[in-house]
PDB file of all heavy atoms in Angstrom:
ATOM      1  N   ASP A 170       4.511 -72.673  64.386  1.00  0.00           N
ATOM      2  CA  ASP A 170       3.618 -72.999  65.496  1.00  0.00           C
ATOM      3  C   ASP A 170       3.415 -71.789  66.406  1.00  0.00           C
ATOM      4  O   ASP A 170       4.267 -70.898  66.482  1.00  0.00           O
ATOM      5  CB  ASP A 170       4.193 -74.158  66.325  1.00  0.00           C
ATOM      6  CG  ASP A 170       4.138 -75.484  65.585  1.00  0.00           C
ATOM      7  OD1 ASP A 170       3.405 -75.562  64.587  1.00  0.00           O
ATOM      8  OD2 ASP A 170       4.828 -76.422  66.001  1.00  0.00           O
ATOM      9  N   GLU A 171       2.299 -71.791  67.131  1.00  0.00           N
ATOM     10  CA  GLU A 171       1.970 -70.702  68.051  1.00  0.00           C
ATOM     11  C   GLU A 171       1.706 -71.262  69.441  1.00  0.00           C
ATOM     12  O   GLU A 171       1.334 -72.430  69.598  1.00  0.00           O
ATOM     13  CB  GLU A 171       0.722 -69.959  67.569  1.00  0.00           C
ATOM     14  CG  GLU A 171       0.824 -69.375  66.173  1.00  0.00           C
ATOM     15  CD  GLU A 171       1.372 -67.961  66.155  1.00  0.00           C
ATOM     16  OE1 GLU A 171       1.711 -67.457  67.249  1.00  0.00           O
ATOM     17  OE2 GLU A 171       1.459 -67.375  65.063  1.00  0.00           O
ATOM     18  N   GLY A 172       1.879 -70.431  70.463  1.00  0.00           N
ATOM     19  CA  GLY A 172       1.477 -70.753  71.820  1.00  0.00           C
ATOM     20  C   GLY A 172       2.043 -72.057  72.353  1.00  0.00           C
ATOM     21  O   GLY A 172       3.217 -72.369  72.182  1.00  0.00           O
ATOM     22  N   GLU A 173       1.156 -72.839  73.018  1.00  0.00           N
ATOM     23  CA  GLU A 173       1.572 -74.086  73.637  1.00  0.00           C
ATOM     24  C   GLU A 173       2.087 -75.086  72.612  1.00  0.00           C
ATOM     25  O   GLU A 173       2.986 -75.888  72.904  1.00  0.00           O
ATOM     26  CB  GLU A 173       0.405 -74.702  74.419  1.00  0.00           C
ATOM     27  CG  GLU A 173      -0.001 -73.937  75.659  1.00  0.00           C
ATOM     28  CD  GLU A 173       1.106 -73.913  76.714  1.00  0.00           C
ATOM     29  OE1 GLU A 173       1.836 -74.930  76.826  1.00  0.00           O
ATOM     30  OE2 GLU A 173       1.245 -72.892  77.404  1.00  0.00           O
ATOM     31  N   GLU A 174       1.540 -75.019  71.406  1.00  0.00           N
ATOM     32  CA  GLU A 174       1.989 -75.939  70.363  1.00  0.00           C
ATOM     33  C   GLU A 174       3.460 -75.698  70.038  1.00  0.00           C
ATOM     34  O   GLU A 174       4.221 -76.636  69.859  1.00  0.00           O
ATOM     35  CB  GLU A 174       1.130 -75.769  69.110  1.00  0.00           C
ATOM     36  CG  GLU A 174       1.433 -76.795  68.021  1.00  0.00           C
ATOM     37  CD  GLU A 174       0.521 -76.644  66.820  1.00  0.00           C
ATOM     38  OE1 GLU A 174      -0.307 -75.707  66.804  1.00  0.00           O
ATOM     39  OE2 GLU A 174       0.631 -77.466  65.888  1.00  0.00           O
ATOM     40  N   ARG A 175       3.846 -74.429  69.983  1.00  0.00           N
ATOM     41  CA  ARG A 175       5.260 -74.130  69.705  1.00  0.00           C
ATOM     42  C   ARG A 175       6.153 -74.568  70.869  1.00  0.00           C
ATOM     43  O   ARG A 175       7.244 -75.096  70.670  1.00  0.00           O
ATOM     44  CB  ARG A 175       5.454 -72.641  69.433  1.00  0.00           C
ATOM     45  CG  ARG A 175       6.909 -72.329  69.043  1.00  0.00           C
ATOM     46  CD  ARG A 175       7.111 -70.905  68.609  1.00  0.00           C
ATOM     47  NE  ARG A 175       8.467 -70.743  68.101  1.00  0.00           N
ATOM     48  CZ  ARG A 175       9.315 -69.810  68.515  1.00  0.00           C
ATOM     49  NH1 ARG A 175       8.952 -68.939  69.451  1.00  0.00           N
ATOM     50  NH2 ARG A 175      10.529 -69.738  68.009  1.00  0.00           N
ATOM     51  N   ILE A 176       5.686 -74.356  72.081  1.00  0.00           N
ATOM     52  CA  ILE A 176       6.461 -74.783  73.250  1.00  0.00           C
ATOM     53  C   ILE A 176       6.706 -76.290  73.186  1.00  0.00           C
ATOM     54  O   ILE A 176       7.823 -76.762  73.406  1.00  0.00           O
ATOM     55  CB  ILE A 176       5.746 -74.377  74.550  1.00  0.00           C
ATOM     56  CG1 ILE A 176       5.745 -72.853  74.709  1.00  0.00           C
ATOM     57  CG2 ILE A 176       6.414 -75.036  75.758  1.00  0.00           C
ATOM     58  CD1 ILE A 176       4.913 -72.354  75.873  1.00  0.00           C
ATOM     59  N   ASP A 177       5.655 -77.054  72.860  1.00  0.00           N
ATOM     60  CA  ASP A 177       5.797 -78.512  72.757  1.00  0.00           C
ATOM     61  C   ASP A 177       6.792 -78.888  71.657  1.00  0.00           C
ATOM     62  O   ASP A 177       7.586 -79.820  71.817  1.00  0.00           O
ATOM     63  CB  ASP A 177       4.442 -79.161  72.466  1.00  0.00           C
ATOM     64  CG  ASP A 177       3.485 -79.078  73.646  1.00  0.00           C
ATOM     65  OD1 ASP A 177       3.960 -78.841  74.779  1.00  0.00           O
ATOM     66  OD2 ASP A 177       2.268 -79.239  73.438  1.00  0.00           O
ATOM     67  N   ASN A 373       4.471 -66.293  62.227  1.00  0.00           N
ATOM     68  CA  ASN A 373       4.524 -66.104  63.670  1.00  0.00           C
ATOM     69  C   ASN A 373       5.239 -64.787  63.976  1.00  0.00           C
ATOM     70  O   ASN A 373       6.433 -64.635  63.707  1.00  0.00           O
ATOM     71  CB  ASN A 373       5.275 -67.284  64.306  1.00  0.00           C
ATOM     72  CG  ASN A 373       5.247 -67.239  65.822  1.00  0.00           C
ATOM     73  OD1 ASN A 373       5.289 -66.174  66.419  1.00  0.00           O
ATOM     74  ND2 ASN A 373       5.186 -68.411  66.433  1.00  0.00           N
ATOM     75  N   TRP A 569      10.757 -72.923  77.882  1.00  0.00           N
ATOM     76  CA  TRP A 569      11.283 -73.608  76.701  1.00  0.00           C
ATOM     77  C   TRP A 569      12.025 -74.886  77.056  1.00  0.00           C
ATOM     78  O   TRP A 569      12.370 -75.666  76.161  1.00  0.00           O
ATOM     79  CB  TRP A 569      12.196 -72.680  75.917  1.00  0.00           C
ATOM     80  CG  TRP A 569      11.533 -71.423  75.478  1.00  0.00           C
ATOM     81  CD1 TRP A 569      11.817 -70.154  75.900  1.00  0.00           C
ATOM     82  CD2 TRP A 569      10.461 -71.291  74.539  1.00  0.00           C
ATOM     83  NE1 TRP A 569      10.995 -69.247  75.284  1.00  0.00           N
ATOM     84  CE2 TRP A 569      10.153 -69.918  74.439  1.00  0.00           C
ATOM     85  CE3 TRP A 569       9.733 -72.198  73.772  1.00  0.00           C
ATOM     86  CZ2 TRP A 569       9.148 -69.435  73.607  1.00  0.00           C
ATOM     87  CZ3 TRP A 569       8.725 -71.715  72.938  1.00  0.00           C
ATOM     88  CH2 TRP A 569       8.441 -70.366  72.856  1.00  0.00           C
TER      89      TRP A 569
END
Side-chain angles (χ1 to χ4, degrees):
D170 289 344
E171 302 270 2
E173 291 296 325
E174 186 177 3
R175 184 173 187 232
I176 292 173
D177 291 342
N373 186 325
W569 302 114

